[in-house]
Amino acid sequence: MAVKVVFLHGIGDGDPRAGWLEGLNRGLVQAGHDPIDRADTFAPRYGSILSTEGIGAKMPAPTYRVKDDSAARFEFARRQARIQRDLGLKSTPSGFGAHVMPEAPLNTLQGFAIGNVSAFDLTQVRRYVQNEPLRGAVLRFLMDQDYADEIVLIAHSLGSVIAIDFLDHLPEHVHVRRFITIGSPAASPALHQGSERLLKRFPYARVDDWSNVFNPRDIVTGGRGLASLFPAAQDFAIDIGNLEHGSGAYLGHPGVASLVAQIVYPSKDVALARSGIAVRLTDSQASVLLMLHYGHAVARNIKNQEVAAKYLGALRLRQDQIIAEIEELATVGQQPLAEELHQLVDGKLPPVPLLWELHEAVGELVVLALTNAVDPYEIDVEQAPMRAISEVTFAMGFSTDVGSKVLRAIEDVQKSLDRRGGVPWGRVLTAAAGVALLAAGPVGLIAAAPAAAAGAAAITGGLAAFGPGGMVGGLAMLGGLAGAGAAVATSAVTGGGGEAQPALDLKALVLRVSVEYARKLLDLPFDQNLWYQLADTETRTAAQISRFEAFNSPNSPTLTMLREVKDSLTRLMTFAIEQGLAPRAISAGENYQVDGNEPDRIAIN
């Protein structure tokens, strides 16, 4: 076995009978894997050092000295995201456990257990953290051991604290393919009082990933994970029994065993079968590919190299997620894939599909221009989206003049909403009174799946929900955004239930006005009934204001939001009339003026 499994034990004599390995093999066999031979593991025992008074040594210098590991950090994040997708475990606990206790009494109880309860005799842990000479002796002992070049590092309880400390002291030839901590008390305040914090800088270029697994009913962990103190850790909660803390119980869990199996018994990537017939991209899939092209164009147009690298790293995370959805669609959902999707899975970004007529492309471009392609990450990319729209317009087979008029339409609509003017490209578009209109992120292949769906059911359900027209049709039904594309986030709109939210209507209508105005600038047919939808939403918003005013405090958040939405809708109605987007009867017969207070309807002679 090329990869060696290294285990750092908890308190006591170091588990000489290898109960940890027995538990791990139980989990591996249950998951359909061969057990690991003890000869392929290494479990150094340091209990005697911790229990003997007077042993000490100078703290060794860190062996991890990389100046710039930002690229490694981005790749670390991608691997962490992959684990989260593959493992299928929750990151936060649910039900009964120590996590339901308030922070202060929990810390007190955990501290008492650490110092006084024999079943949780963690005085060795506290001694290790607070006694620097002792830490130095343990670390030097571990550094002197013989390790393989590639290891899976598993650490239990006290061993997890030592392992975290050991990461930047590993011999330089050692690379940690997977770091797994189980039953770790490392986040307990009782362990760190009067001591220096462990691991100030995580060695991203040395450790591929870090999964921390905890039992919510394990008082040693406090029923909580490590991510609050160690941001590189990715927490997973498993229920292995009341007060259960043993390494064998943790490692016998199928999810934890699978973490080890993925590295020790790597499965060969199976190429997705190609059907003998040509499969056409759906509208939603084409829009997703277009969004990826837009994201890469944004990255190319960011002038600051550090910001560009960060944006590209986040974009790759998004692309990995889309590829994972495609793979599940093909393997679990048993749906044939278009050749472009095969190319994406193979690591190649296929060319922009040339599927859109000009009036359709306008909608796609408007939505893209106001989309955060790396959602949920927020990165200030300045003017890069504007330049990216020109690139994408050309790639779609249209002149750059189309992109220019789309951008002009967005800017003009924004000016009508915000007296300050200008579009905060790459951030959030806001209405006149500060309502956040678009915090848009790309729609994946499963955007319209039912909330309770999972796996292939979510994917196939999501695609089927849109029907003909893909996500474009879905958005048209949900928000009145006919032809506005797939790149806008629809999670809030598709949530369902309850009364329609005016703020959601406002988001859709701002996009809709921008799309129709851009079409008018390009001498394309546009929907003149848009003004009536604006008026209808304004009427419903006014009704909600009237209902809430009867009971709410005058400056309540809900009333404030509703008034801001109504103000923005009035501005959009005025803009529609001024730019000739309203029906002729409306344009000739009435107008709206906004003075910062209530709008007045005036007749035009």
Side-chain angles (χ1 to χ4, degrees), residues 69-79 306 309-310 313-314 317:
D69 56 3
S70 56
R73 183 173 186 177
F74 296 149
E75 292 305 309
F76 178 91
R78 292 179 71 185
R79 288 187 290 267
E306 183 178 347
K310 185 181 295 187
L317 275 175

Side-chain angles (χ1 to χ4, degrees), residues 356-358 361 365 390 393-400 402:
W356 294 280
E357 300 292 339
L358 179 56
L365 290 169
S390 295
T393 303
F394 186 76
M396 293 174 76
F398 303 104
S399 70
T400 54
V402 172

Side-chain angles (χ1 to χ4, degrees), residues 327-344:
E327 290 174 335
E328 193 168 3
L329 182 67
T331 57
V332 184
Q334 296 295 307
Q335 294 196 19
L337 300 179
E339 178 59 29
E340 292 91 340
L341 298 186
H342 279 289
Q343 293 178 34
L344 188 61

Side-chain angles (χ1 to χ4, degrees), residues 143-179:
M143 292 174 72
D144 289 341
Q145 305 305 307
D146 186 21
Y147 300 94
D149 290 342
E150 294 189 337
I151 66 173
V152 172
L153 180 58
I154 305 172
H156 172 242
S157 195
L158 160 66
S160 70
V161 178
I162 296 173
I164 293 168
D165 206 12
F166 188 41
L167 288 182
D168 57 2
H169 293 87
L170 282 164
E172 294 190 30
H173 71 90
V174 176
H175 188 86
V176 180
R177 293 285 307 282
R178 178 145 293 170
F179 181 37

Side-chain angles (χ1 to χ4, degrees), residues 398-597:
F398 303 104
S399 70
T400 54
D401 180 60
V402 172
S404 299
K405 288 185 176 178
V406 164
L407 294 173
R408 176 189 160 187
I410 294 171
E411 289 178 333
D412 286 353
V413 171
Q414 169 67 358
K415 288 176 182 177
S416 75
L417 290 171
D418 192 339
R419 292 192 179 102
R420 294 170 297 179
V423 177
W425 297 107
R427 295 189 292 278
V428 177
L429 182 64
T430 56
V435 177
L437 296 182
L438 298 173
V443 166
L445 297 177
I446 61 172
I459 294 172
T460 56
L463 292 175
F466 283 116
M471 295 192 183
V472 175
L475 284 173
M477 291 184 293
L478 294 166
L481 187 60
V488 63
T490 60
S491 58
V493 184
T494 59
E499 187 175 353
Q501 296 296 314
L504 302 183
D505 289 337
L506 182 58
K507 292 180 183 182
L509 289 169
V510 168
L511 282 169
R512 183 84 185 278
V513 171
S514 300
V515 169
E516 301 303 337
Y517 182 44
R519 287 173 176 161
K520 185 174 187 296
L521 292 177
L522 288 162
D523 296 323
L524 295 171
F526 59 92
D527 185 1
Q528 292 189 351
N529 291 320
L530 171 60
W531 191 91
Y532 293 115
Q533 294 184 26
L534 291 167
D536 177 68
T537 306
E538 185 198 41
T539 300
R540 287 190 290 110
T541 304
Q544 284 191 306
I545 291 173
S546 178
R547 177 160 55 90
F548 281 111
E549 281 180 337
F551 301 100
N552 282 28
S553 298
N555 295 322
S556 69
T558 299
L559 271 175
T560 300
M561 181 272 291
L562 288 170
R563 289 168 182 146
E564 290 171 349
V565 168
K566 185 173 181 294
D567 178 67
S568 295
L569 288 167
T570 302
R571 292 176 186 274
L572 286 175
M573 294 169 71
T574 301
F575 179 83
I577 292 173
E578 291 175 347
Q579 303 303 329
L581 297 176
R584 187 170 300 175
I586 298 294
S587 299
E590 59 181 330
N591 198 356
Y592 280 72
Q593 291 180 338
V594 180
D595 59 8
N597 299 309

